[in-house]
Amino acid sequence: MGEKPKILVYDLGGCEGCPLSILRVYPELRNMAELYTHHLREIDIDMEYDIAVITGPICINEPEDVNTLRRIRSKVNTLIAYGSCASVGGITLLFCRGGQEPRPEHRTFQPISAIVNVDYAIPGCPPAPNLFIALINSIKSGRGHFLHLFASVAKAKKLSGFDLLDTIVLTGLCISCGACIISCPTNALQMIDRNPDLIVEKMY
Amino acid sequence: MRICGLCHTAHGIAAVEAFEDVLGISPPANGRLLREILGLLNRVQSHLIHLILITPDIIRKEYLEDLLIEEIKLLNKINDIITRIGGSPTHPPYIVIGGFGKTPAEKKTISEQLKNISNILEKYRNIMKILTDENKQNRKIEILKAKTYDTKPLASHLFYGDKYNINLQKLNTIHYEKYRGNNLPKEVSKTTSLVALYGNNAVEVGPRSRLMVYREFQDNSLWGLQYARMLEVELSLLRIMELLEQVDSNEPSKSRSIVFKRGRGVGVYEAPRGTLIHFVELDSEGRVSSYKIIVPTMFNIPYIESSAKNLPAFIASTIPRIYDPCIPCATHIIKV
């Protein structure tokens, strides 16, 4: 990898909040990498890139998107899933039911790890773009705890308030640090008796 | 709210307005004020993002990079304020049914934000000076200024949105293929686009329509679209300052008694790109049984098409972009 790695940002769909949040750190990012995003210029996915950043979930009913994703994977060394939809499915996995106009056949949105191998995944809706800068720095230098953290998120299949209760609280692993409450994008968690709990009216 | 990463607050407000219509409640004065403030901040944010995307079309290459950086810095300042007031720069969680999630606790935060906004306004006026400087604009702008056409504007409010200012009975949506008839090329006939009509006529929505209906804005060229959008940022910032002074941090901003029941509701809000309408139907247990959304670009599609006719090909990709369409939100994705 050269001094300035080439980064491709490719959006598979969704609300566009993630690719736009990367744009917010462009003033800092342009000093450390070359950014290829369709918000700034026309992009060509067949060019050679060092790092590819995928935003948005993959609709497995759409062969064209699935093929594009596979093609990007086969060309780059490092693939980063950016945002909750791409890394763990997020709101599109839990709540998209399909069956509506204008495309009733579209109903299955999955995190991109369902199709290809993901090296690092940054969850968040959208993630704080500073995390992205930190991860790029860690990848460039080849060390740092962000590498372990985001590599393990890439292996996670689920990551939401419901799973938090299942895998952390009910198994007795919770240390009452409150990090989940700070990071919840919809403020749907609260501390009750030093344990996180879901706020009922936010669940619907 | 997570429908769109640019109009997050706009979709949020339209949705909660629709639900409140079903339940027959309205937010307390403070909640209504904060909602309008956050909505306008979202409008400024969205217009700035669009400005970042459209600047390569307006400005000559030698001035481009510096201006882009300035614009992104300005956008980050607006994002900070949205985080302070709404809880998050994208998809702010404080837009809730019944009012607003959290009132800014102290007078100090409010006066701080007032100062920030007047700073932003000053910086924005400098950027606008560069953008409207004819010596720095590229030659596409001349063509955009020369092309004029008649529009039928539709808008419900200058700053917020009011369902009584438009006739909801007149709205209908049809598939794009049906709108165009049968003579479509094959690649286009697979489209999923819907077109929204108002009384069976195409209408234009967006910043220019708002200024035409509620202010005396007259420019009906293609450049007028962008000019109106730039004026609106200034107008919104002034309005936010006016509203922030009225917020009382001791008063509640959310109504407490919410009982879900059966019924239908509609929420109308002026999103950054134009009139946004949410229809909702709840069943007897308060669950959503149907939901329909009319987004601004569904109104604008016919105008985007007709205004592009008879113009040189190198400008073809600029014309949809200057309308700031929601179809694929990213305006550089379209290859012509």
Side-chain angles (χ1 to χ4, degrees):
Chain A
M1 204 176 296
E3 204 37 32
K4 275 190 170 186
K6 285 184 180 167
I7 302 179
L8 167 73
V9 178
Y10 189 80
D11 183 51
L12 285 169
C15 82
E16 291 285 316
C18 291
L20 286 170
S21 84
I22 294 179
L23 206 62
R24 296 213 297 262
V25 288
Y26 178 65
E28 292 115 70
L29 201 61
R30 71 187 177 131
N31 296 326
M32 45 193 273
E34 280 178 52
L35 190 66
Y36 290 82
T37 158
H38 60 72
H39 292 296
L40 292 177
R41 59 187 102 179
E42 307 236 319
I43 53 169
D44 176 14
I45 58 165
D46 290 323
M47 246 174 73
E48 291 292 322
Y49 298 100
D50 299 309
I51 300 171
V53 180
I54 307 289
T55 61
I58 178 79
C59 173
I60 55 179
N61 299 128
E62 184 70 61
E64 206 173 301
D65 278 354
V66 174
N67 286 337
T68 311
L69 184 59
R70 289 211 171 107
R71 215 158 88 217
I72 294 175
R73 172 71 267 192
S74 67
K75 289 193 141 221
V76 296
N77 292 327
T78 314
L79 189 81
I80 302 174
Y82 187 83
S84 284
C85 291
S87 47
V88 287
I91 190 171
T92 48
L93 177 70
L94 285 170
F95 300 111
C96 273
R97 297 280 193 269
Q100 290 179 43
E101 285 292 304
R103 271 279 176 103
E105 72 271 23
H106 276 196
R107 58 177 72 233
T108 320
F109 294 91
Q110 293 286 325
I112 57 168
S113 58
I115 305 285
V116 292
N117 272 332
V118 178
D119 298 305
Y120 305 104
I122 311 179
C125 188
N130 296 342
L131 287 178
F132 180 66
I133 294 226
L135 178 62
I136 297 292
N137 270 332
S138 301
I139 291 175
K140 271 170 82 176
S141 63
R143 60 197 156 81
H145 69 274
F146 279 113
L147 291 182
H148 304 296
L149 177 65
F150 292 132
S152 59
V153 176
K155 292 194 188 80
K157 286 275 175 251
K158 304 193 289 182
L159 210 62
S160 83
F162 304 104
D163 315 319
L164 174 83
L165 291 186
D166 283 353
T167 54
I168 307 290
V169 180
L170 296 182
T171 52
L173 293 173
C174 176
I175 57 164
S176 312
C177 70
C180 55
I181 291 173
I182 296 172
S183 58
C184 179
T186 53
N187 288 0
L189 295 167
Q190 60 187 342
M191 273 298 202
I192 296 179
D193 293 338
R194 305 191 62 228
N195 268 332
D197 205 349
L198 297 168
I199 299 173
V200 178
E201 65 260 31
K202 295 268 185 156
M203 284 166 61
Y204 302 106
Chain B
M1 183 178 295
R2 285 185 157 70
I3 291 168
C4 178
L6 287 106
C7 296
H8 34 78
T9 312
H11 276 288
I13 292 176
V16 293
E17 289 270 330
F19 278 95
E20 283 166 0
D21 192 22
V22 179
L23 311 177
I25 55 173
S26 56
N30 227 2
R32 169 69 170 70
L33 279 176
L34 282 163
R35 234 184 232 175
E36 185 169 339
I37 291 170
L38 197 63
L40 286 174
L41 282 168
N42 176 212
R43 185 181 288 178
V44 175
Q45 183 194 34
S46 167
H47 284 351
L48 282 177
I49 291 174
H50 175 257
L51 197 60
I52 293 168
L53 301 179
I54 197 112
T55 303
D57 288 318
I58 299 178
I59 290 294
R60 283 205 229 137
K61 268 198 180 134
E62 56 262 41
Y63 305 103
L64 185 60
E65 186 81 5
D66 291 340
L67 196 64
L68 274 180
I69 301 296
E70 280 299 306
E71 286 169 5
I72 292 175
K73 279 183 185 159
L74 205 61
L75 174 68
N76 283 338
K77 289 212 173 96
I78 283 284
N79 283 335
D80 284 346
I81 300 176
I82 298 181
T83 316
R84 284 290 173 81
I85 294 175
S88 160
T90 315
H91 310 309
Y94 293 160
I95 300 280
V96 289
I97 295 172
F100 200 80
K102 196 177 163 196
T103 323
E106 291 166 44
K107 268 244 146 85
K108 212 183 112 206
T109 14
I110 295 178
S111 58
E112 226 171 73
Q113 299 317 326
L114 272 173
K115 218 187 285 166
N116 287 343
I117 286 175
S118 58
N119 275 342
I120 289 173
L121 189 59
E122 204 177 302
K123 287 222 171 103
Y124 178 73
R125 282 183 175 144
N126 285 338
I127 288 181
M128 213 171 132
K129 243 181 240 161
I130 301 177
L131 283 170
T132 47
D133 186 348
E134 285 183 1
N135 296 326
K136 292 179 180 171
Q137 289 176 347
N138 70 23
R139 63 197 183 102
K140 282 184 186 173
I141 301 302
E142 285 167 31
I143 303 172
L144 293 180
K145 278 180 183 162
K147 170 84 181 180
T148 56
Y149 54 97
D150 289 331
T151 62
K152 265 199 190 138
L154 175 78
S156 64
H157 195 279
L158 188 57
F159 296 114
Y160 193 69
D162 190 342
K163 63 173 181 255
Y164 300 112
N165 281 347
I166 57 172
N167 187 348
L168 295 167
Q169 309 292 322
K170 279 184 164 182
L171 291 169
N172 68 329
T173 55
I174 54 172
H175 275 274
Y176 181 75
E177 300 147 56
K178 233 181 183 175
Y179 172 74
R180 278 292 296 270
N182 296 325
N183 50 355
L184 275 178
K186 250 195 186 152
E187 306 87 61
V188 189
S189 64
K190 277 196 295 185
T191 175
T192 55
S193 300
L194 293 166
V195 177
L197 299 174
Y198 188 68
N200 284 330
N201 293 317
V203 287
E204 190 189 291
V205 295
R208 178 166 72 187
S209 305
R210 282 195 283 263
L211 293 182
M212 274 176 151
V213 175
Y214 295 102
R215 290 281 186 275
E216 281 148 0
F217 190 79
Q218 301 249 304
D219 192 346
N220 62 347
S221 66
L222 277 169
W223 171 250
L225 281 166
Q226 179 58 25
Y227 191 61
R229 194 170 292 121
M230 299 200 296
L231 286 182
E232 211 182 33
V233 174
E234 204 176 337
L235 213 59
S236 306
L237 286 171
L238 290 171
R239 172 78 172 163
I240 294 167
M241 285 160 78
E242 184 184 296
L243 291 172
L244 264 178
E245 279 166 6
Q246 297 173 28
V247 174
D248 186 344
S249 47
N250 299 318
E251 292 289 314
S253 53
K254 192 183 169 195
S255 55
R256 292 265 158 212
S257 56
I258 298 174
V259 182
F260 284 92
K261 59 184 179 191
R262 173 192 203 129
R264 284 180 189 184
V266 55
V268 175
Y269 181 72
E270 285 293 323
R273 283 156 193 74
T275 313
L276 169 70
I277 302 151
H278 281 220
F279 296 97
V280 64
E281 220 170 290
L282 301 186
D283 68 9
S284 52
E285 287 177 32
R287 292 201 186 93
V288 176
S289 58
S290 98
Y291 208 102
K292 189 180 172 192
I293 298 170
I294 298 182
V295 294
T297 304
M298 283 158 69
F299 290 105
N300 278 343
I301 287 173
Y303 274 102
I304 297 178
E305 262 182 6
S306 61
S307 62
K309 277 178 194 155
N310 301 331
L311 285 179
F314 77 95
I315 208 168
S317 71
T318 308
I319 289 164
R321 220 175 281 154
I322 208 149
Y323 266 92
D324 195 5
C326 337
I327 21 163
C329 323
T331 42
H332 280 265
I333 214 169
I334 303 167
K335 275 197 178 152
V336 186

